[in-house]
Amino acid sequence: MKISDKFCLEIQAVMNDIDIIKNGQIYEIDSVSGVPKCATVGARLEKNFMKLIQRIESDTKGDIEVAAEYLK
């Protein structure tokens, strides 16, 4: 299985936060409840990226594989 398939959910979480930043959808700009602060998005990106790297290095299952096992 390709890494991009195995870790598609983890990669998508990182990409979602990148899109939030690219689109300027942060609280400091919008001042809308429910829109994350830039620091929150940065912390999430860091956490999700480090989690993904750790999983790749240790060759553990991706979230999509875990979910597929639960659905069996």
Side-chain angles (χ1 to χ4, degrees):
M1 179 180 281
K2 294 186 335 183
I3 287 178
S4 59
D5 293 336
K6 183 175 181 174
F7 298 105
C8 64
L9 296 178
E10 293 87 345
I11 293 168
Q12 190 58 50
V14 171
M15 295 305 296
N16 288 344
D17 281 340
I18 290 171
D19 284 341
I20 286 171
I21 293 170
K22 284 173 36 182
N23 294 329
Q25 297 170 317
I26 56 174
Y27 184 80
E28 290 83 350
I29 294 173
D30 290 342
S31 297
V32 175
S33 179
V35 175
K37 288 188 173 187
C38 191
T40 301
V41 176
R44 272 194 325 226
L45 272 170
E46 180 179 42
K47 179 182 137 209
N48 288 332
F49 182 71
M50 295 310 295
K51 178 176 138 185
L52 175 59
I53 294 301
Q54 182 182 25
R55 284 184 168 188
I56 291 170
E57 288 177 344
S58 63
D59 196 29
T60 59
K61 294 180 180 179
D63 287 343
I64 196 76
E65 292 174 303
V66 173
E69 287 178 358
Y70 284 127
L71 296 175
K72 281 186 179 179

